[in-house]
Amino acid sequence: EKKTLISTRRRIARSGDKFRWRKGDKLLVYGLWELAAIQETGWCLIVEGESDFLTAWLHKIPALAIPGKETWRPEWAKYFEGVQPYLWQEPDAPELPGKVGKDIPGLLVIPAPDGFKDISEAHLQGKDVAALIADLKAQARPPAPVSDHSESEPDKIPWVGHNYFVERGRLCLEQYDRQGMPRTSYLANFQARITEEITRDDGLKAVKEFLVKASLDTGRPLPLAQIQAREFDSLAWIRREWGSAAAVAPGRSLGPHLVNGIMAHSQGARRRTVYAHSGWRQIGGLWRYLHGGGAIGRGDPVEVDLGENLGLYHLPEPGGVEAAHASLRFLDIGPWEITAPLIACVYLAPFADLCKIDFSLWIYGPTGSLKSTLAALALSHFGNFSRTTLPGSWLSTANSLEKLCFALKDSLAVIDDFIPPSSPKESHAQTEKAARLIYQAGNRSARGRLAADLSARPNYYPRCLIISTGEMLLPGQRQSATARYLGIELDPNRTPIDKALLTAAQGEAHLYPGAMAAYLADLAPRLEDAQAEIKDLWEGYRTAFQSTAHLRIPEIQAWLAVGFEMFLRFQARMGAITQDQEYEMLKRAWRVFEALGEKHSRIIEGERPTLKFLAVLQELFLQGRIYVESASIAGIPPQGGESLGWEGTEPARNAEFVGWADENSLYLMPETALRVVNEAIRRQGDFLSLGRNDLLAALAREGFIEPAKDKSTRLKWIQGTARRVIFMPLSKLGHEGGEVET
């Protein structure tokens, strides 16, 4: 008989939406075609399901049916306006009266009597349903109020077309079956939400991160997880952050629903921006200098995170005249040819990226010459540093050094310990790494790199001013590499450091950051004017330094002069020196930078591959490791034989034959001569930066050899045979009183 009642709905159903539970995606109340009759009776019984609806009308009881205990919708309250509603409460739906009562004022509840849960069962047991309802109406009571946040009624948050809620400490999804009945799916054994959305801005790209707070269904909190937004959807971070305690429901569709559910419960999360670089940044229309502790300059507080390795770049509140005096006394630690370029770089570094400063400082000398200690003391203007806490090392990978020099925008970066290993392969690798970074700093450029999908990756280029320390300069490089840095030699005998003054300076180094903070605070409100002024100063200084050989040297000297003048102007504004002292100190620094430029020009000139080739060739002759014969008679020494590898009338022991000579010229076998010179240079831990053809072309271009019209070598009739040789006048090798031409 119950089956007959249920099937009655199908028999009486007519075409149209009024008999259906759903209209599109909208769930409906069943029986709305009887709404007019209900208004006439003045009361209505609310039941669950179409079978109870049909049973009620079979017994002439006005009724409407909702699809189920979990499907009540507030908009249905309008159907019960003007009538007295009664709700039949089934035993398994204790929360339903409270939910309906919130939307229908005056609702009365009829609890199901013992023995049957709904009116359809009462009808099947032979009860007079109409009389039963009449008796129960007299006993009806208002529903008990239900809290909006009770465990029995979880908050359902609609998000992208689905409802998500937390039940029993678990994140859940509400879905509907084909009949429109609700079904709960557990997504995980925990609940989670994003408490903070962090935008980490390094000046090249902005990466978003989420801070996720979660707890298990047992109530135990899980560790706070910090997840990059790009990996959030994969859910792999759950196992990494929380281990085996957290479990995700299996199923192809439930994983995306878990992501969606966490997002649904994360609305209102705090959003903040964290800057991941130092240096000048325009924020809110104001120039601010970023450092590990925040920002210098007017404006709201700024959050900066340089990472664990760069946390020492931290500036205090601006200092006063005491801090300025302490910074000024840095000059007295040693000779000005050491301390003046260092202090100039300190006060020039805040303009490294703004003004595209394109040189580095290279301090070199033997172990124990205090290179690292002096570099650390200079770096102490930007934080609390010592020789054991320097930010960079040449033992680090190329990628990490590139990222370091990118993050330290408008700051000073010290890269310590350039000591090429004894292994030729490892030595070459370290030299190439250092040369590449110096090239990048000198060209203000980066290595182009591709991602796995062949798209361009972000290029990290040096935005700082680099100070390198090592036991030697870069070996075997082209002149252009050596011209991109200025070498400062620390010789304990010639340029001694006053250790008493050094110790005193280390004792007051904690004042240095205050001096730098005062310098930056003074620059911030007038930064654009200062930037234009610096460029004009540099143009003037570069013109005045034009006497040196290589074109890049005047540019480096000009930058040092600009940095030193900015240092002196700051000292004068702070009252640490007078204008007369400022003028005298600037003149003295000028002479120092002029001498340093001339000295480095000679180093650059010595790096010319042609001069290196000739110098090594001459040494090999003088050491008796190679020799040449007379061009006219085999086995006979040429004129000046002792300087061409002969001992009297015999070649030196174990000397290698490389060519011929007459009284004016040297005729070298190309392959043999180049091989022996390259081998000798490699034994010294160095190498020629040019290949065979390029070297011969350079020798010809600079006038050291006399080539044929179409080749770098010439055919020469020697000892009755035509031979292809390198034709070199003996005067170019230093013979006959001649000198190597430069």
Side-chain angles (χ1 to χ4, degrees):
E1 189 171 354
K2 185 172 184 179
K3 291 180 180 179
T4 302
L5 285 172
I6 294 174
S7 64
T8 303
R9 181 244 179 188
R10 299 186 180 91
R11 291 198 304 272
I12 69 172
R14 307 184 185 99
S15 62
D17 293 332
K18 64 181 181 179
F19 293 100
R20 299 179 183 174
W21 285 110
R22 301 182 72 85
K23 181 179 181 181
D25 290 332
K26 185 178 181 181
L27 202 61
L28 300 176
V29 171
Y30 190 76
L32 291 178
W33 63 88
E34 299 290 354
L35 199 56
I38 292 173
Q39 293 292 328
E40 291 180 4
T41 61
W43 70 283
C44 178
L45 181 66
I46 303 173
V47 295
E48 294 181 40
E50 64 261 57
S51 61
D52 280 3
F53 167 80
L54 296 172
T55 299
W57 283 95
L58 183 65
H59 290 272
K60 302 186 182 307
I61 299 171
L64 289 176
I66 61 176
K69 59 180 180 295
E70 296 289 345
T71 59
W72 174 256
R73 299 289 184 267
E75 61 265 24
W76 294 343
K78 63 186 178 183
Y79 302 132
F80 304 99
E81 294 176 356
V83 299
Q84 174 60 57
Y86 292 87
L87 173 67
W88 180 281
Q89 180 185 356
E90 298 183 5
D92 61 348
E95 75 283 355
L96 184 60
K99 293 171 64 175
V100 178
K102 288 193 301 182
D103 302 313
I104 304 179
L107 176 73
L108 296 175
V109 180
I110 300 175
D114 294 338
F116 47 86
K117 72 170 187 174
D118 56 31
I119 61 175
S120 294
E121 286 190 1
H123 172 75
L124 293 175
Q125 294 179 20
K127 301 289 184 180
D128 184 347
V129 176
L132 177 65
I133 294 297
D135 292 340
L136 293 175
K137 282 172 63 179
Q139 306 173 24
R141 296 289 183 271
V146 178
S147 171
D148 288 343
H149 300 284
S150 67
E151 180 66 22
S152 60
E153 187 184 4
D155 289 333
K156 295 179 182 177
I157 303 176
W159 188 254
V160 196
H162 296 84
N163 289 332
Y164 299 94
F165 59 96
V166 174
E167 184 177 87
R168 299 177 183 176
R170 301 177 179 182
L171 193 59
C172 302
L173 165 69
E174 182 183 66
Q175 294 177 305
Y176 297 92
D177 58 21
R178 292 181 179 178
Q179 286 73 41
M181 303 302 291
R183 184 180 75 250
T184 295
S185 298
Y186 289 106
L187 300 177
N189 69 335
F190 58 85
Q191 56 178 311
R193 65 186 181 90
I194 298 170
T195 59
E196 289 189 56
E197 180 180 309
I198 303 170
T199 301
R200 195 171 296 277
D201 186 343
D202 67 1
L204 184 63
K205 64 181 188 300
V207 176
K208 291 192 178 297
E209 297 177 352
F210 298 146
L211 289 182
V212 182
K213 183 179 181 180
S215 61
L216 294 173
D217 53 5
T218 61
R220 180 167 69 87
L222 291 167
L224 189 68
Q226 186 166 346
I227 313 300
Q228 289 198 358
R230 65 171 179 263
E231 64 169 330
F232 188 77
D233 289 1
S234 71
L235 297 179
W237 55 270
I238 292 178
R239 189 71 64 237
R240 184 185 70 238
E241 297 290 331
W242 298 329
S244 60
V248 177
R252 184 176 301 175
S253 64
L254 294 184
H257 274 301
L258 178 58
V259 173
N260 216 24
I262 295 175
M263 291 290 187
H265 281 76
S266 302
Q267 300 313 294
R270 179 191 175 198
R271 288 174 170 81
R272 58 191 174 99
T273 297
V274 177
Y275 294 96
H277 67 88
S278 66
W280 295 107
R281 185 75 181 256
Q282 204 166 27
I283 303 172
L286 298 173
W287 282 105
R288 316 286 300 280
Y289 186 89
L290 307 179
H291 59 92
I296 291 176
R298 291 187 299 111
D300 296 330
V302 172
E303 189 173 355
V304 180
D305 181 8
L306 300 179
E308 183 178 354
N309 295 333
L310 301 180
L312 294 178
Y313 280 85
H314 192 291
L315 295 176
E317 291 297 315
V321 67
E322 182 185 6
H325 272 299
S327 181
L328 182 64
R329 286 190 289 270
F330 179 89
L331 285 169
D332 300 330
I333 298 171
W336 270 41
E337 64 182 279
I338 306 297
T339 58
L342 278 172
I343 202 68
C345 287
V346 166
Y347 284 85
L348 186 62
F351 296 94
D353 192 54
L354 282 179
C355 295
K356 308 304 178 188
I357 296 172
D358 57 356
F359 81 98
S360 302
L361 203 65
W362 194 290
I363 304 175
Y364 66 103
T367 300
S369 57
L370 302 175
K371 303 180 299 296
S372 301
T373 301
L374 285 174
L377 200 57
L379 186 60
S380 294
H381 284 81
F382 293 89
N384 181 22
F385 292 94
S386 68
R387 64 179 180 82
T388 60
T389 58
L390 294 173
S393 168
W394 288 116
L395 298 177
S396 303
T397 65
N399 287 343
S400 67
L401 290 176
E402 287 175 3
K403 192 70 179 291
L404 169 83
C405 293
F406 180 81
L408 293 178
K409 179 179 181 291
D410 297 322
S411 189
L412 201 61
V414 176
I415 306 178
D416 198 28
D417 286 336
F418 180 78
I419 308 172
S422 57
S423 164
K425 182 178 180 181
E426 294 178 3
S427 176
H428 179 74
Q430 188 176 111
T431 300
E432 284 294 298
K433 174 174 59 181
R436 183 166 58 218
L437 189 62
I438 295 299
Y439 262 113
Q440 289 175 290
N443 295 339
R444 310 300 297 177
S445 63
R447 285 188 298 160
R449 293 176 293 178
L450 297 179
D453 61 356
L454 300 183
S455 61
R457 295 176 61 186
N459 292 327
Y460 294 106
Y461 59 93
R463 302 190 293 177
C464 60
L465 201 160
I466 297 173
I467 294 181
S468 171
T469 71
E471 294 185 1
M472 58 188 295
L473 294 175
L474 279 175
Q477 296 303 312
R478 298 177 187 266
Q479 285 178 285
S480 55
T482 309
R484 282 166 170 78
Y485 64 83
L486 181 69
I488 306 293
E489 184 179 10
L490 264 177
D491 185 343
N493 298 319
R494 191 178 57 83
T495 56
I497 302 299
D498 190 317
K499 294 185 179 179
L501 291 177
L502 176 63
T503 302
Q506 290 173 321
E508 62 181 6
H510 64 281
L511 297 173
Y512 292 176
M516 179 55 62
Y519 174 65
L520 296 169
D522 178 66
L523 286 172
R526 56 183 185 89
L527 183 64
E528 293 177 1
D529 291 339
Q531 187 177 352
E533 184 181 6
I534 282 174
K535 290 181 178 178
D536 290 341
L537 275 175
W538 180 77
E539 291 287 352
Y541 278 128
R542 183 181 62 169
T543 302
F545 277 118
Q546 286 295 348
S547 60
T548 51
H550 197 282
L551 292 177
R552 273 190 174 263
I553 295 301
E555 296 180 357
I556 296 175
Q557 291 170 306
W559 280 126
L560 291 175
V562 167
F564 200 83
E565 182 165 343
M566 295 298 290
F567 162 66
L568 293 179
R569 288 184 181 185
F570 165 70
Q571 294 291 339
R573 281 195 298 271
M574 295 295 290
I577 59 175
T578 64
Q579 287 189 344
D580 289 341
Q581 288 174 315
E582 178 184 355
Y583 177 70
E584 291 300 323
M585 294 173 74
L586 188 58
K587 285 200 304 182
R588 181 179 175 185
W590 173 277
R591 292 192 294 270
V592 168
F593 300 149
E594 196 171 37
L596 288 173
E598 291 173 358
K599 180 179 179 181
H600 197 69
S601 293
R602 292 192 293 271
I603 294 174
I604 293 174
E605 196 67 19
E607 288 294 327
R608 282 167 56 187
T610 52
L611 294 183
K612 187 180 294 187
F613 172 82
L614 295 175
V616 173
L617 185 68
Q618 186 176 19
E619 286 183 10
L620 292 175
F621 277 125
L622 294 174
Q623 293 170 4
R625 297 172 63 180
I626 59 175
Y627 75 99
V628 293
E629 293 180 349
S630 171
S632 56
I633 305 174
I636 299 297
Q639 184 177 351
E642 291 184 0
S643 60
L644 294 174
W646 288 74
E647 295 177 354
T649 58
E650 295 290 335
R653 178 177 293 184
N654 298 325
E656 184 171 355
F657 175 66
V658 295
W660 304 266
D662 56 25
E663 58 183 14
N664 296 315
S665 303
L666 192 63
Y667 311 105
L668 298 174
M669 295 184 291
E671 303 302 332
T672 304
L674 291 172
R675 174 179 56 79
V676 296
V677 170
N678 271 311
E679 288 175 354
I681 293 176
R682 279 197 296 268
R683 284 195 295 269
Q684 298 171 5
D686 204 344
F687 58 92
L688 283 175
S689 57
L690 296 180
R692 175 190 184 279
N693 294 335
D694 289 337
L695 178 62
L696 292 177
L699 287 167
R701 186 170 55 250
E702 296 176 26
F704 293 117
I705 63 174
E706 297 178 7
K709 290 184 179 180
D710 57 343
K711 291 182 179 295
S712 297
T713 56
R714 293 173 61 174
L715 277 174
K716 174 69 175 175
W717 195 266
I718 300 175
Q719 297 177 0
T721 305
R723 306 176 188 275
R724 184 161 292 280
V725 295
I726 300 173
F727 188 93
M728 178 185 295
L730 278 171
S731 60
K732 304 300 182 182
L733 198 63
H735 288 268
E736 297 183 351
E739 296 181 355
V740 175
E741 295 181 358
T742 60

